[in-house]
Amino acid sequence: MSIVAFAEKNKAAAQIASILSDGDYERTSLDGVNVYEFKKDGKQWRIMGLSGHIMTYDYPQEYNNWREVDPGLLINTMPEQYITKQSFANAISRLAKDSDEIILACDYDREGENIGFEAKSIAEKVSDSPIKRARFSSLSTDEIKRAFQDTVEPDLNLANSAKARQILDLKMGVAFTRYITLSVQERARTKGVLSIGPCQTPTCGFVYEREKVIKNFEPKDFWKIEAVFHHNDTDFQGTHRTGKFFDKDKADAVYEKIKDCKTGLVTNKKVKETKSSPPYPLNTNEFLKRASKFLGLNSDRALEIAEQLYLSGFTSYPRTETNKYAKDFDFQSRVAELTKGAHKEFALAVFSNSENGFNPRNGTKDAHDHPPIYPIKSANKSDINKAVNDSKAWDVYDLIVRHFLTNLMQPAVFEKTRLEISVNDEKFDATGTVKKESGWMWVYPFETKNDKILPEIEINENVGINKITNTKSQTTPPKRLTESELLTLMDKNGIGTKATAPTHIETNKKRGYFETKGKSISILDTGFTLMDALNKSVPVIVKPEIRSRVEQLIQDVEDGKKTLEEALDEGTALINQMYSQLTSNKNEMVSQIAGTIYDESVAADSDNYIGKCSECGRILRIVTTDKGRFVGCTGYPECRNTFSLPKNGALNIMKSRECRKGSPAVIKVGNKYHWAVGIGPCFKCDMENECFPPEIVGPCLRCNGYMFLIKTKDTRFLGCTNKCGYTQSLPKSGRLTILDDKCECGWKIIRVKEKEKDAREFCVNRKCINRM
C-alpha cells in the first residue's frame, strides 16, 4: 500500500517524515521538489512539502489593461484560479497517481486548509484514492503520530473561508487601486500607484486618525504644585490633590498660601494589599504585541521567527486565536521537559508549587483552532541559534517559555500606601508601592514595577517640608501609535486575522504610507494625503466597519452558516456600495490628492517656493508669465491669493531670513535691496535695521548716526544710518572684511586682500591720526 502526504513546507515535511519513520527515511527529488520516503508496517510512505500557496486567483489576461477596462467591471467579474508553481503541481500529480491514500498535512488553519485543498484539486484529477486530513498543533512526536493515526475528513468550509477572503480582497484591491490611481493621474503628473486594500487601508486609517489628533492638538497651560516632604531621614514627594491647575490665579493663590510652610500634618493613611495576576496564555495577537513591546520586533519578523521555531519542533503552532488551555492539556510533561534546558530553575519552581495540580490563569477566548502558543521542547541558546537563522530567535523562544511558565505561577503581591498630608489646610497626596512577593514576576522580567517606598508614619504625625514648587507646564498630544497598540486596534475592530495582521502592517510600510521609528509608527506624507482625501470623500473605505462585516462573512463560511457563493454575493454587494461612493465623490477626492502631489513638486522647486498660503493652506510660489511675474497660490482658481514682485532684477529667496511683519518670504532683488512678499521693499520698512542689522564701522563724523557698509553691483562705500548724506569711499578691489578689532578713534579696522598681494589691515576714518 502506498501513502502520500502533503505538508505545507519542506521543513515540516522533513520533520513529519523523521517522526513517522523514527528517523529512517530517504530524501529524493521529484521535478526539483524534495520528497521524503520510508517504509513502515508494510506501507510505502512518501511525504512532500509544498511551498505555501501554489495557486492564486487573478483576472484573465483581457482584464490586464488598466486604461481599457473599467475598474468597476472587475468587482462583478469572478477571477480565475491559476497554478503559480508548476513544478509543485507536477510533483503532486505524479505522487497522487500512484498512491492508495492521500493525506493533507498542512497547518491547521484557514490558509493551511486552503493550501491543502489546492493540492487536493490537483490530485483528484489523476487519482480516485481517498483523501484524509491530519490535524496537529505542533510537530511534537506524540502529536504527529496521533494526527496520522486518527486522520479526519478535510474541512471544506475552512478552506472556502480562505477562498472567500482571497476573492473579495482581490476584487476590492484591484478595482479601487486602479480607479484611484487612474483618476489622480488624469489631474497630476505622477506614475506612482496609489494602493488600496480592504485591510491595508483601514490599518493605515488607524495611524492616520492618531496623526490627525496630534496635528490638531492645541496645548493648554497648567500649573502643578508639588512638595518634597521628609520624615525619619527619608525624603518623599507629594502632589496637591487638584493635580493640574488650569487657572493660574488659583494656582498662585494656593502657592502663596503655603509657600513658606515648613511642616505638614498626616491626616489620613490607607494601606492596601493588591495582587497582580499572571498574564493570559499567548495567542497570536498577544504574542505579536509582546514581541513588539518587549523585544522591539516588528510583527512580520516576530511571526516568521515563531513559525521557524514551530517548524523546528521547539514551540507549538503560532497562529491561534485561543488564549485558554483545554482541561486535559498535559502540563505535567510540558513543564517536565523544560527542566532539561536553560529554564530549568523556573520549571522546577513551578513543579514545587503544583501539589494540587496545575492551575493556569486562562483567558476567555476559545476559537477551537489550536491551543495557546507554548514550548514543546527544552533548549539552550545554542540549540535555538543552530536551528533558526535569526539573531532574535532565542529572545522569542525565551519569551514563549517564560510566558508559559508564569501562566502557572502565583500572583505577585504588592502593598500600596497612600498618605493624605495637610499643608495649611491644602491637601497633598503621596503614594508608595512595595513588592511583598514576586510571584510570577520573578520569571517574567519584561514587566517590572519598581518599589516606591514611604517612611513609617502614622496619622496625626508631622512631616517636614524641604521644598514647595509651582511649576508651569503644557498639556501634550497623545503619542504616536506603537505597533503593539496598532495590533490591538486591528484585533478589536476585526481587521485581518491572527495570520494576516502583520502582513497588512508591512504592506503599508512597503507602499510608503507609514514607517516605524523606534517603537512608534509615523505616517508619511503620501499615506496621510491618501487617507485624508479618502476620509473626506469616502470615509467608509478608511473606517473599519465595512471590513468587519466582510470578516464576519468569512467567519460565517468557516462556521457553515453561509456557503461560499452566498458570502461572495454579499461581500461583492458591500464592495459595490463603497465603489459607488468612491465614484460619486471622485472630484473631491482627486482634487485633494492631485493638489498635494502638485504641491509637493512645487515645494521641491527651491528657486520659486515661497511658503504656505495663509488663505487656503496650499503653496505660494513665484509665477512668471509673458506679462510679468508675481507670487501666486497653487490653489488657483479656487484661491486667488496673489502678491506683486519687482519688475526688474534677479530674485533670490532668502530661506534663512524671517520677516518680522509676517511676510511669507524675503527676497533679495539683484544686489540692491530686499523685498518682503506682500509688504514691499524692506528699505521702506521701519524695522529694516532689526531684520538686516548693518555692518557698523564707527560713529558718523557729521551727526550722531553710525557709518555702515553699503554694497551695490558696481561699488561699495560707507554711509550713515541716519541718512545725513555723509559718505566715505572704500578700496574698490579686493576681498573686504570688517574686523572686530578697533582703532583708537573708535572705528573698526578694515582688512583688504587683493589677488597676489598681502592682506592690509587699516583704519579708514579720514580724521583718524593713525589712518594709513
Side-chain angles (χ1 to χ4, degrees):
M1 183 177 181
S2 175
I3 301 174
V4 61
F6 299 111
E8 190 163 322
K9 294 181 179 178
N10 176 63
K11 197 169 184 178
Q15 279 279 95
I16 293 169
S18 178
I19 292 170
L20 294 181
S21 67
D22 297 321
D24 185 17
Y25 67 90
E26 291 184 359
R27 186 180 71 178
T28 60
S29 179
L30 195 62
D31 286 289
V33 179
N34 288 333
V35 177
Y36 302 90
E37 299 185 7
F38 58 90
K39 284 187 178 181
K40 185 175 183 179
D41 300 330
K43 299 176 183 178
Q44 178 68 39
W45 285 77
R46 288 174 296 175
I47 300 178
M48 169 187 152
L50 301 172
S51 180
H53 283 285
I54 61 172
M55 303 176 76
T56 190
Y57 279 95
D58 203 351
Y59 289 101
Q61 187 73 27
E62 59 266 28
Y63 292 90
N64 286 351
N65 191 310
W66 283 37
R67 298 191 178 278
E68 292 183 3
V69 177
D70 178 3
L73 184 64
L74 299 170
I75 298 174
N76 300 303
T77 300
M78 184 64 183
E80 298 176 356
Q81 196 171 31
Y82 296 91
I83 293 174
T84 56
K85 298 171 183 175
Q86 192 61 52
S87 60
F88 285 90
N90 294 340
I92 291 169
S93 295
R94 291 178 62 180
L95 290 174
K97 190 174 183 179
D98 300 327
S99 66
D100 298 305
E101 183 180 345
I102 299 170
I103 299 177
L104 306 179
C106 297
D107 297 341
Y108 179 45
D109 60 9
R110 285 177 185 167
E111 294 303 318
E113 201 73 10
N114 192 23
I115 291 168
F117 266 72
E118 290 174 1
K120 179 175 180 287
S121 66
I122 295 170
E124 286 176 333
K125 293 179 180 178
V126 297
S127 173
D128 294 327
S129 300
I131 299 177
K132 297 291 184 178
R133 176 56 153 115
R135 290 181 180 172
F136 48 87
S137 295
S138 73
L139 292 173
S140 65
T141 299
D142 292 344
E143 190 160 359
I144 290 300
K145 287 184 175 180
R146 176 201 55 75
F148 277 83
Q149 185 175 359
D150 302 325
T151 55
V152 297
E153 294 297 319
D155 191 335
L156 178 61
N157 291 338
L158 189 61
N160 277 347
S161 66
K163 187 178 290 189
R165 176 188 299 282
Q166 283 180 308
I167 295 171
L168 292 174
D169 285 1
L170 179 66
K171 284 186 172 188
M172 179 179 173
V174 173
F176 282 55
T177 296
R178 286 192 189 184
Y179 183 82
I180 293 175
T181 299
L182 292 172
S183 298
V184 171
Q185 287 178 353
E186 291 175 1
R187 298 274 296 274
R189 293 181 179 179
T190 176
K191 294 181 180 179
V193 173
L194 295 170
S195 174
I196 301 295
C199 290
Q200 165 201 322
T201 302
T203 298
C204 190
F206 292 129
V207 183
Y208 157 77
E209 291 290 348
R210 176 62 61 89
E211 188 67 25
K212 194 167 60 168
V213 171
I214 294 171
K215 284 187 174 184
N216 295 333
F217 182 82
E218 294 183 4
K220 292 182 179 179
D221 292 337
F222 70 88
W223 289 260
K224 197 171 186 180
I225 299 177
E226 295 175 307
V228 177
F229 301 104
H230 68 265
H231 185 78
N232 290 343
D233 299 324
T234 301
D235 290 344
F236 60 99
Q237 186 168 297
T239 303
H240 192 278
R241 182 161 292 176
T242 301
K244 296 176 180 178
F245 287 85
F246 288 97
D247 187 323
K248 183 179 185 301
D249 292 339
K250 288 184 179 179
D252 289 343
V254 171
Y255 180 69
E256 286 297 320
K257 179 182 176 182
I258 64 174
K259 68 178 183 179
D260 296 323
C261 293
K262 300 301 179 184
T263 61
L265 179 68
V266 177
T267 53
N268 201 356
K269 178 181 179 180
K270 291 183 180 179
V271 180
K272 182 180 180 182
E273 185 177 275
T274 62
K275 293 183 178 181
S276 174
S277 298
Y280 289 137
L282 280 178
N283 60 15
T284 304
N285 195 268
E286 192 62 29
F287 161 69
L288 294 176
K289 288 191 288 184
R290 289 174 181 262
S292 172
K293 182 178 179 180
F294 300 142
L295 306 181
L297 287 172
N298 66 57
S299 53
D300 208 40
R301 184 180 175 191
L303 193 57
E304 175 59 27
I305 293 173
E307 174 87 7
Q308 292 304 315
L309 289 171
Y310 155 70
L311 291 172
S312 300
F314 289 105
T315 58
S316 63
Y317 189 57
R319 294 182 174 90
T320 175
E321 294 182 7
T322 298
N323 69 351
K324 62 185 297 185
Y325 288 104
K327 292 181 179 179
D328 60 351
F329 186 87
D330 186 4
F331 289 106
Q332 182 79 21
S333 61
R334 295 275 70 84
V335 177
E337 170 65 24
L338 294 175
T339 62
K340 303 173 186 176
H343 299 89
K344 176 180 178 179
E345 181 183 8
F346 304 138
L348 289 174
V350 171
F351 263 127
S352 68
N353 291 304
S354 62
E355 296 87 355
N356 298 320
F358 296 93
N359 296 298
R361 182 174 185 251
N362 273 335
T364 59
K365 198 168 186 178
D366 185 358
H368 303 289
D369 51 355
H370 294 278
I373 304 169
Y374 65 92
I376 298 295
K377 187 165 62 175
S378 63
N380 294 311
K381 190 172 183 177
S382 58
D383 301 324
I384 299 297
N385 290 340
K386 189 183 298 182
V388 181
N389 185 26
D390 192 294
S391 61
K392 287 287 190 177
W394 168 258
D395 295 336
V396 171
Y397 174 77
D398 180 59
L399 172 64
I400 292 171
V401 173
R402 288 174 183 269
H403 198 102
F404 170 74
L405 291 173
T406 59
N407 192 246
L408 300 170
M409 298 184 73
Q410 297 299 311
V413 180
F414 296 88
E415 183 181 85
K416 292 189 174 182
T417 302
R418 177 181 290 274
L419 298 178
E420 178 186 275
I421 301 172
S422 178
V423 180
N424 197 11
D425 296 328
E426 295 294 334
K427 302 297 184 184
F428 281 74
D429 293 310
T431 59
T433 302
V434 177
K435 187 190 298 180
K436 294 295 186 181
E437 297 176 22
S438 295
W440 62 275
M441 286 187 172
W442 170 58
V443 176
Y444 210 69
F446 313 107
E447 293 189 28
T448 58
K449 294 184 179 179
N450 297 324
D451 286 353
K452 185 181 177 183
I453 301 174
L454 295 176
E456 288 294 332
I457 194 169
E458 300 301 329
I459 296 175
N460 293 326
E461 284 194 65
N462 287 321
V463 295
I465 300 175
N466 292 340
K467 181 172 62 175
I468 297 177
T469 57
N470 181 18
T471 307
K472 178 184 177 181
S473 300
Q474 280 193 326
T475 55
T476 57
K479 294 182 179 179
R480 288 187 168 89
L481 289 174
T482 63
E483 190 157 328
S484 175
E485 291 170 329
L486 180 56
L487 286 164
T488 300
L489 285 171
M490 293 171 70
D491 184 48
K492 181 180 178 180
N493 289 276
I495 302 300
T497 66
K498 58 186 182 293
T500 63
T503 304
H504 304 315
I505 293 175
E506 287 305 306
T507 298
N508 276 291
K509 292 179 184 177
K510 291 175 182 176
R511 296 285 186 266
Y513 293 163
F514 58 64
E515 64 181 355
T516 303
K517 290 184 176 180
K519 292 185 178 180
S520 299
I521 296 177
S522 299
I523 197 163
L524 298 171
D525 289 344
T526 302
F528 189 89
T529 298
L530 180 60
M531 292 303 109
D532 200 43
L534 291 174
N535 188 53
K536 290 175 180 176
S537 56
V538 201
V540 71
I541 298 178
V542 178
K543 307 298 182 186
E545 287 76 12
I546 293 290
R547 184 60 201 182
S548 296
R549 291 169 64 183
V550 173
E551 291 287 353
Q552 187 57 54
L553 289 174
I554 295 168
Q555 186 63 49
D556 287 345
V557 174
E558 180 179 332
D559 297 339
K561 297 177 181 178
K562 292 186 186 298
T563 65
L564 173 62
E565 290 71 23
E566 288 172 338
L568 291 179
D569 287 345
E570 291 185 38
T572 300
L574 289 172
I575 296 171
N576 273 316
Q577 288 178 24
M578 289 190 288
Y579 191 79
S580 177
Q581 292 184 40
L582 180 67
T583 55
S584 298
N585 295 282
K586 173 184 175 180
N587 288 336
E588 183 181 355
M589 174 199 66
V590 172
S591 293
Q592 184 168 347
I593 297 176
T596 301
I597 291 173
Y598 177 60
D599 286 355
E600 288 173 354
S601 65
V602 170
D605 180 7
S606 59
D607 291 337
N608 293 295
Y609 173 73
I610 295 296
K612 290 288 183 71
C613 176
S614 60
E615 298 293 326
C616 70
R618 295 286 296 275
I619 300 295
L620 293 174
R621 85 289 195 206
I622 296 174
V623 180
T624 303
T625 68
D626 295 338
K627 296 181 179 180
R629 57 191 181 181
F630 61 93
V631 171
C633 178
T634 56
Y636 180 84
E638 289 80 10
C639 179
R640 296 179 176 271
N641 195 16
T642 60
F643 303 103
S644 61
L645 288 173
K647 294 181 179 180
N648 301 308
L651 302 180
N652 182 22
I653 300 168
M654 305 189 71
K655 298 177 178 60
S656 61
R657 292 287 182 179
E658 185 174 327
C659 177
R660 294 175 182 267
K661 290 194 173 181
S663 168
V666 176
I667 297 174
K668 188 172 184 179
V669 184
N671 288 318
K672 296 181 179 180
Y673 60 93
H674 296 91
W675 181 284
V677 174
I679 296 175
C682 295
F683 58 74
K684 290 185 177 181
C685 178
D686 57 358
M687 300 183 75
E688 181 186 20
N689 287 343
E690 293 184 40
C691 295
F692 300 96
E695 289 189 84
I696 300 296
V697 174
C700 179
L701 302 180
R702 179 180 293 178
C703 69
N704 61 352
Y706 292 91
M707 303 301 291
F708 71 99
L709 179 63
I710 299 174
K711 294 180 180 179
T712 69
K713 183 178 181 182
D714 302 317
T715 187
R716 58 193 179 191
F717 58 95
L718 298 180
C720 178
T721 55
N722 287 343
K723 301 179 181 178
C724 70
Y726 182 76
T727 62
Q728 188 166 316
S729 62
L730 291 171
K732 294 183 178 180
S733 61
R735 186 172 67 249
L736 187 148
T737 307
I738 300 174
L739 304 179
D740 290 332
D741 297 336
K742 287 186 178 181
C743 176
E744 292 177 3
C745 70
W747 280 37
K748 289 184 178 180
I749 300 297
I750 300 292
R751 184 178 190 271
V752 176
K753 176 66 174 73
E754 298 183 75
K755 287 184 179 180
E756 301 179 358
K757 291 184 180 181
D758 294 335
R760 294 185 300 137
E761 296 182 1
F762 52 93
C763 177
V764 294
N765 182 354
R766 290 175 182 168
K767 296 185 179 182
C768 177
I769 59 174
N770 297 318
R771 182 170 180 265
M772 295 177 63

